[in-house]
Amino acid sequence: MDYLEARALMERHLLDASMRKHSLASGAVLRALARRLGKDEEKWAVAGVLHDLDYEKAGKDGQMDKHGLLTVEMLEPYGLSEDVLDAIKAHNAENLGVERKTDLDLALTCGETVTGLVVATALVYPDKKLASVKPKSITKRMKQTAFARSVNRDHIRLCEKLDIPLSEFADLALNAMREISDDLGL
Ligand SMILES: [Fe+2]
């Protein structure tokens, strides 16, 4: 499955505008991480855009302990590679009792999580634009635990296990999201 097919599938299953934006932002950050690490950009972007595919299903039924597992079931007909499916499960590792093992497992978790911090940081600016955000404000917000408190800082810090320092990761995520700022409305 290529990125455009993955995006279309995501839009069939996620109707909420902010979930769609979160999925697109995650795809963009994962593509940038793959480029940075010399990995398969299209595959990592697909993982990013699909990782929350079951969110409206799992959330509705109050089954966050199934979040990720349902996505893997939904993706069964499409023949995605095992490492993508494992990474999708591993982004909900704590609830599913699985481990994050591969670079893609780590990248999907830190990449999808950092999008939340970048959006929250942009929304503080008067124009609410990614263009106004400095990478330094993102790293500053990292330390303010009361700010965007639902954004898991430990998950963002997993970038360091990929040998990407936090400041570089903030820069990478911000730039990736700026490239799709129209889609994100930011
Ligand atoms: Fe997500």
Side-chain angles (χ1 to χ4, degrees), residues 19 22-23 26 48 51-52 55 67 91 108 112-113 115:
M19 280 310 295
H22 168 64
S23 301
S26 301
H51 80 279
D52 274 340
Y55 197 82
H67 177 48
H91 98 275
L108 184 56
E112 74 105 1
T113 307
T115 65

